[in-house]
Amino acid sequence: MSTHQQGDAFENLLREDRRFPPSAEFAAAAVAQPALYEEAREQGAEFWAGQARKLLTWDTDFTQTLDWSDAPFAKWFVGGTVNAAYNALDRHVEAGRGDRVAIHFEGEPGDTRTITYAELTEEVKRAANAFESLGVQKGDRVAVYLPMIPEAVVTMLACARIGAVHSVVFGGFSADALRSRIDDAEARLVVTADGTYRRGEPRAPQPAGAGALARAGHTVTNVVVVRRNEQPVEWTEGRDVWWHDVVDGASAEHTAVPHDAEHPLFILYTSGTTGKPKGILHTTGGYLTQTAFTHLNTFDLRPETDVFWCTADIGWVTGHSYVAYAPLVNGATQLIYEGTPDTPHQGRWWELVQKYKVSILYTAPTAIRTFMKWGREIPQQYDLSSIRVLGSVGEPINPEAWMWYREVIGGGNVPIVDTWWQTETGAHMIAPMPGVTATKPGSAQVAVPGIAIDVVDELGKPVPDGSGGYLVIREPWPSMLRGIWGDPQRFKDTYWSRFDGMYFAGDGAKKDDDGDLWLLGRVDDVMNISGHRLSTTEIESALVSHPSVAEAAVVGASDETTGEAVVAFVILRGSAKDDDDIVTTLRNHVGKEIGPIAKPRNILVVPELPKTRSGKIMRRLLKDVAEGREVGDATTLSDPTIMQQIAVSLRK
Ligand code: WT7
């Protein structure tokens, strides 16, 4: 977003004077009460020590809450030992809650499974034994390339149980993307499936997975394949084994050994400002504490009665924190759905809410805007009265979508919690507390209790209410990333060098006159497409890897449904022809290199790209073109006539 546009958007936002306080009834019974804020303010880091002891079962209690002596490398709950899988599973069974449903699974074709805590615990124990029998040891990395099926959660928890570090790769990423992630983490085991379903069609991940594996480094010793829809599988004898062969027959006895609070739990790759995705590293004790805390308080969770549904795929951090870990650590019942919202019809989600009596729904603004487009008549055909809290995540939610969500899905009387956070933060950082905060359409509003958020200017000085700047985090927090896999310097440079002693999130933000926070999108070269994070440079690299492309520049242009859309400007090599074919070819090429989500919405062939005298592409000007605006100040271009040349070529 260019600065003037942010300004305009903010002027409109500032006029927002609607307030939706919780009902007296909701407020009185809410899990999070106003005292939680006071407690957090008074106690500082010790607040988190209390939460860690309250929410988790530790094998050894910790002796120090936070060691920040080697900042920005934090150690939380020093000396403590804990097992994530034990906390998510065994302890519920031991406490007599084994019969509670952990997962209601609904496959896209309509097949269902109901898995209790006792059953899930057994399945994870079997998988842990199976992985160990394949030689997986504590600290080894396991790549997970699976659709949204229960085995995905089982695999993650089995890894956590034995101390192996999972690296989940979104099933929609390409073979090349999978391969580079396997190589970077030097994964030893890969868990994948023989397919999934998408819009009624059987769909790989496996063929893509097999291709990637064939070319991956030699660290992979075994591949475990889950049978899901019996697509043809490229099989490597001696390396590949079926899940049902190794897991089903394994023993259901397995003792969870305690791991250090700082033992690595997982790596999750995310896009940064350079071409190479970074492996964000999370560890055990702090991550579990803050994900469980926020899941309980932000969503007002009652584990005995609620049915929680987070619609995110496990390939993203939302699917890690609020599908695989927090709901289970909190002993909740959740729904996992494999497929798309419009299969076999556009009412599928609402049919599921009605069928499973979903009471807490957590999804992304992109989905909400899509449902708005399909029309309110569709959700209105279903009984959505079970819903009592609605959550939003992944991108700013515009006030229109917020109001529609509240009225059409929430029946006009349930709290909406807009949660700001990142792969790097591990858990919610900014969010209303549903029984305390009077919510405002479009604003994520206030820091989570125990979290120190600020908005600062160029020099790192806090801005006053009514102004904008950069979003920062002032104090370490339990679920913060512990680094970038294999690249400690990049960790410091990316997050800790912009402002002294503060974490720089990469987002622009404003404080309104009440001091409430409004998120204004990324200020770096990271795009947000349907709540998915993609880097402009990563897509540019993919484009120039094609023999027809000489140069490429990519921008995120605002899009009514997806928030942002990828728009690419390319200069072709001398021999390549500018026609429809080349656009299709290049779109598919990006799909193959990164994955279908990265395919540009538009590819525009241009004679030149706007660059500064130092050779930096001025994406701001291209964004003006992509969004159909008058082009802004172009005086710093090395050749000021270039924007005109581009305009002429696009008119052709
Ligand atoms: C980026 C992080 C958080 C899990 C999903 C995305 C944007 C996220 C919000 C929100 C405005 C948001 C930010 C952030 N973002 N939530 N509620 N309001 N923007 O995780 O892929 O790591 O992306 O998503 O720009 O930096 P991610």
Side-chain angles (χ1 to χ4, degrees):
M1 221 183 259
S2 67
T3 343
H4 73 262
Q5 211 204 343
Q6 277 184 4
D8 289 351
F10 188 56
E11 288 315 308
N12 294 334
L13 296 175
L14 270 182
R15 278 184 221 117
E16 180 58 71
D17 46 21
R18 287 170 288 195
R19 295 287 181 285
F20 298 94
S23 69
E25 212 186 327
F26 192 105
V31 173
Q33 292 292 329
L36 196 64
Y37 288 99
E38 272 158 55
E39 211 184 299
R41 229 184 342 260
E42 282 162 15
Q43 298 179 3
E46 286 313 306
F47 171 73
W48 291 113
Q51 293 300 331
R53 291 188 178 109
K54 183 171 138 194
L55 297 165
L56 303 181
T57 305
W58 294 79
D59 292 284
T60 323
D61 192 13
F62 45 90
T63 49
Q64 189 186 357
T65 301
L66 169 66
D67 178 357
W68 191 230
S69 59
D70 186 27
F73 298 93
K75 289 199 184 82
W76 280 89
F77 311 129
V78 182
T81 65
V82 63
N83 186 293
Y86 175 83
N87 274 275
L89 302 164
D90 311 48
R91 65 168 177 162
H92 302 309
V93 180
E94 287 168 13
R97 297 188 290 267
D99 290 339
R100 185 179 296 169
V101 174
I103 297 173
H104 287 294
F105 170 69
E106 174 108 1
E108 196 191 78
D111 55 317
T112 61
R113 283 170 71 185
T114 305
I115 308 170
T116 64
Y117 272 91
E119 290 163 344
L120 191 64
T121 305
E122 262 200 21
E123 180 81 355
V124 169
K125 287 178 175 178
R126 284 187 212 281
N129 280 320
F131 295 172
E132 280 180 336
S133 72
L134 293 171
V136 178
Q137 290 175 5
K138 180 168 178 166
D140 285 346
R141 272 79 62 205
V142 175
V144 184
Y145 191 58
L146 283 170
M148 278 302 280
I149 54 177
E151 286 82 357
V153 174
V154 171
T155 299
M156 292 162 83
L157 291 173
C159 288
R161 191 170 188 94
I162 62 185
V165 184
H166 57 72
S167 164
V168 181
V169 180
F170 175 53
F173 278 134
S174 67
D176 289 345
L178 171 61
R179 189 194 57 193
S180 68
R181 285 158 174 78
I182 291 174
D183 283 346
D184 188 73
E186 300 178 290
R188 165 182 194 127
L189 182 73
V190 177
V191 183
T192 185
D194 65 353
T196 181
Y197 297 89
R198 265 288 171 278
R199 304 216 148 76
E201 296 294 319
R203 144 97 82 91
Q206 223 280 330
L213 290 168
R215 281 169 284 134
H218 298 292
T219 55
V220 176
T221 52
N222 286 105
V223 180
V224 178
V225 185
V226 178
R227 180 165 283 163
R228 175 64 186 136
N229 71 357
E230 310 194 17
Q231 291 298 288
V233 172
E234 271 177 58
W235 199 261
T236 302
E237 227 29 83
R239 185 195 68 186
D240 301 354
V241 292
W242 286 109
W243 174 282
H244 53 261
D245 284 341
V246 292
V247 176
D248 291 1
S251 160
E253 296 295 318
H254 186 279
T255 308
V257 291
H259 301 299
D260 191 273
E262 284 297 338
H263 184 67
L265 186 61
F266 66 85
I267 305 168
L268 181 58
Y269 286 84
T270 189
S271 296
T273 53
T274 67
K276 192 173 173 266
K278 30 190 191 189
I280 302 300
L281 175 68
H282 281 286
T283 60
T284 309
Y287 174 81
L288 293 178
T289 299
Q290 196 177 329
T291 52
F293 172 82
T294 49
H295 183 247
L296 203 64
N297 289 287
T298 313
F299 298 122
D300 193 54
L301 180 81
R302 317 297 156 108
E304 311 77 32
T305 48
D306 274 319
V307 178
F308 177 75
W309 184 19
C310 166
T311 65
D313 191 280
I314 45 129
W316 310 104
V317 74
T318 312
H320 282 61
S321 301
Y322 300 103
V323 177
Y325 287 104
L328 298 172
V329 168
N330 286 333
T333 296
Q334 69 175 316
L335 171 63
I336 292 181
Y337 170 55
E338 178 187 28
T340 48
D342 53 353
T343 308
H345 56 79
Q346 295 178 334
R348 184 72 187 270
W349 274 25
W350 316 118
E351 190 178 74
L352 291 173
V353 167
Q354 174 179 293
K355 175 174 172 187
Y356 293 102
K357 300 197 166 40
V358 170
S359 55
I360 306 171
L361 176 68
Y362 190 33
T363 194
T366 272
I368 300 165
R369 289 191 296 264
T370 304
F371 294 126
M372 284 172 79
K373 231 169 33 190
W374 292 346
R376 61 173 67 207
E377 311 76 59
I378 295 171
Q380 277 169 350
Q381 286 160 28
Y382 300 90
D383 177 6
L384 308 181
S385 61
S386 53
I387 290 178
R388 56 176 206 90
V389 177
L390 292 171
S392 176
V393 61
E395 45 179 325
I397 177 164
N398 47 310
E400 300 70 38
W402 197 100
M403 289 305 298
W404 191 92
Y405 198 29
R406 180 176 163 92
E407 278 161 23
V408 180
I409 307 304
N413 58 11
V414 310
I416 296 184
V417 286
D418 176 9
T419 60
W420 178 91
W421 57 297
Q422 310 177 293
T423 306
E424 292 87 340
T425 71
H428 302 163
M429 301 295 281
I430 306 175
M433 288 295 130
V436 180
T437 318
T439 52
K440 250 183 218 180
S443 167
Q445 292 187 295
V446 286
V448 163
I451 299 298
I453 299 279
D454 209 343
V455 180
V456 299
D457 65 16
E458 292 283 345
L459 300 171
K461 274 199 20 219
V463 303
D465 288 353
S467 330
Y470 303 96
L471 190 74
V472 296
I473 305 167
R474 288 193 172 280
E475 300 288 341
W477 64 102
S479 63
M480 67 195 288
L481 75 166
R482 299 302 196 264
I484 294 175
W485 186 255
D487 203 346
Q489 193 56 44
R490 191 175 174 194
F491 170 61
K492 290 187 184 170
D493 294 347
T494 309
Y495 307 105
W496 303 95
S497 64
R498 181 78 171 77
F499 301 109
D500 198 27
M502 291 181 258
Y503 171 91
F504 172 48
D507 279 39
K510 297 251 186 183
K511 295 176 187 169
D512 68 14
D513 291 337
D514 303 325
D516 280 330
L517 298 166
W518 295 77
L519 280 306
L520 299 175
R522 303 285 308 193
V523 293
D524 53 13
D525 295 335
V526 170
M527 296 174 291
N528 190 327
I529 317 293
S530 301
H532 297 152
R533 193 157 145 185
L534 291 167
S535 116
T536 53
T537 4
E538 203 179 343
I539 299 177
E540 285 163 5
S541 310
L543 284 165
V544 295
S545 74
H546 191 277
S548 299
V549 177
E551 265 192 86
V554 165
V555 297
S558 61
D559 182 283
E560 245 183 55
T561 307
T562 59
E564 278 188 298
V566 180
V567 177
F569 294 81
V570 297
I571 305 177
L572 296 178
R573 285 191 191 281
S575 54
K577 273 221 294 292
D578 169 12
D579 55 20
D580 290 350
D581 280 357
I582 187 72
V583 169
T584 311
T585 305
L586 293 179
R587 288 188 78 236
N588 291 338
H589 178 70
V590 173
K592 187 188 141 290
E593 291 284 311
I594 304 173
I597 48 164
K599 284 185 182 178
R601 183 188 70 189
N602 310 101
I603 296 183
L604 308 171
V605 177
V606 292
E608 282 297 337
L609 290 172
K611 289 187 187 154
T612 60
R613 263 162 242 133
S614 59
K616 199 174 176 322
I617 294 173
M618 292 191 71
R619 290 205 181 78
R620 170 173 66 80
L621 301 177
L622 292 174
K623 209 167 159 127
D624 288 342
V625 174
E627 293 178 345
R629 255 195 317 277
E630 199 177 318
V631 171
D633 181 8
T635 49
T636 54
L637 285 181
S638 61
D639 174 358
T641 67
I642 281 172
M643 290 318 293
Q644 218 139 22
Q645 293 177 38
I646 290 177
V648 169
S649 79
L650 294 180
R651 247 177 267 133
K652 274 196 226 145

